């Protein structure tokens, strides 16, 4: 007869995050790489086997120093504003893919894609867009995105989080037992 202690030890943890929460969290974690002082966006592309095949965040193109190009807001046609230079998270995720293509994949993204990203998403073969916020729904660019997605048969839906916060605490790893972190050499080691 199994004791209740054995049963608990043989049970899986119940507080794990589900797949959608995981993929959206990866998009948000990727956004932390963005150097944009106003808007940080990340994207995570996932295939039908629940494998991540691309991630990206908004930033300057490779070779364009983010110390030399502007980060400020301003008219979208101004050479002194970020809009003419920054690559959006969705485009970077598609370009950074680690597979032959992203056909039939799902993209998880913090903000509903703009019209320029929508074109790239459609052309890449992505079939589903899962977004967190549609705060720019009033903009003509967002309306154009939705029109194109509808015409191309791209599904899109808002992600409603189960948790308002997912915390990453690097001290959760038991460094004494698992010995995962590099050890500082002692005088005896030298």
């Amino acid at each position: 007869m199994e004791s209740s202690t054995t049963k608990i030890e043989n049970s899986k943890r119940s507080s794990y995050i589900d797949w959608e929460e995981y993929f959206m969290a990866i998009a948000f974690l990727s956004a932390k790489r963005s150097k944009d002082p106003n808007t940080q966006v990340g994207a995570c592309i996932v295939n039908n086997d629940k494998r991540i095949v691309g991630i990206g965040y908004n930033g300057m193109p490779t070779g364009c120093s983010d110390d030399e190009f502007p980060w400020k807001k301003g008219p979208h046609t101004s050479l002194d504003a970020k809009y003419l230079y920054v690559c959006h998270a969705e485009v970077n995720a598609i370009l950074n893919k680690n597979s032959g293509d992203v056909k039939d994949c799902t993209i998880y993204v913090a903000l509903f894609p703009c019209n320029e990203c929508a074109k790239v998403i459609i052309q890449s073969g992505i079939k589903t867009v899962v977004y967190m916020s549609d705060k720019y729904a009033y903009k003509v660019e967002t309306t154009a995105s939705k029109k194109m997605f509808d015409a191309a048969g791209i599904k899109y839906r808002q992600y409603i989080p189960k948790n308002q916060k997912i915390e990453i605490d690097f001290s959760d790893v038991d460094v004494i037992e698992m010995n995962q972190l590099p050890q500082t050499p002692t005088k005896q080691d030298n």
Side-chain angles (χ1 to χ4, degrees):
M1 185 167 137
E2 269 187 73
S3 71
S4 61
T5 306
T6 304
K7 196 170 196 165
I8 292 171
E9 289 173 4
N10 288 329
S11 298
K12 68 180 178 182
R13 187 171 66 90
S14 62
S15 60
Y16 61 91
I17 61 176
D18 67 24
W19 285 112
E20 288 228 309
E21 203 167 20
Y22 174 67
F23 297 135
M24 189 59 80
I26 295 291
F28 270 72
L29 185 61
S30 297
K32 297 285 188 191
R33 286 283 309 140
S34 175
K35 295 176 184 163
D36 190 320
N38 300 299
T39 307
Q40 301 84 44
V41 179
C44 177
I45 303 172
V46 180
N47 69 16
N48 290 327
D49 295 324
K50 296 185 176 10
R51 303 284 192 267
I52 295 172
V53 296
I55 55 173
Y57 55 89
N58 58 314
M60 295 297 169
T62 302
C64 297
S65 171
D66 44 37
D67 291 324
E68 295 175 22
F69 282 83
W71 285 106
K72 69 180 181 179
K73 291 182 170 188
H76 283 247
T77 56
S78 170
L79 289 173
D80 295 325
K82 65 182 179 176
Y83 303 107
L84 294 175
Y85 309 106
V86 170
C87 292
H88 286 186
E90 301 92 329
V91 172
N92 275 330
I94 291 167
L95 293 173
N96 293 334
K97 70 186 182 303
N98 60 12
S99 64
D101 61 45
V102 291
K103 189 174 190 278
D104 298 326
C105 287
T106 298
I107 188 167
Y108 291 82
V109 65
L111 291 175
F112 195 93
C114 72
N115 63 306
E116 293 300 320
C117 290
K119 292 183 234 180
V120 176
I121 288 168
I122 292 166
Q123 289 298 92
S124 73
I126 289 173
K127 290 297 178 200
T128 306
V129 175
V130 180
Y131 63 93
M132 185 80 145
S133 172
D134 195 8
K135 71 178 184 178
Y136 298 121
Y138 65 92
K139 287 189 168 188
V140 68
E141 293 92 338
T142 306
T143 302
S145 295
K146 290 176 182 175
K147 274 182 89 166
M148 288 187 285
F149 284 159
D150 291 341
I154 307 296
K155 294 183 222 149
Y156 53 91
R157 63 183 165 78
Q158 186 171 26
Y159 173 73
I160 308 299
K162 292 179 178 73
N163 297 296
Q164 289 303 307
K165 189 181 203 180
I166 296 174
E167 187 173 327
I168 297 173
D169 183 351
F170 290 115
S171 67
D172 280 348
V173 175
D174 185 356
V175 295
I176 294 170
E177 283 185 29
M178 296 182 72
N179 202 18
Q180 298 262 336
L181 296 175
Q183 300 295 312
T184 307
T186 63
K187 287 184 179 181
Q188 293 174 342
D189 293 336
N190 290 333

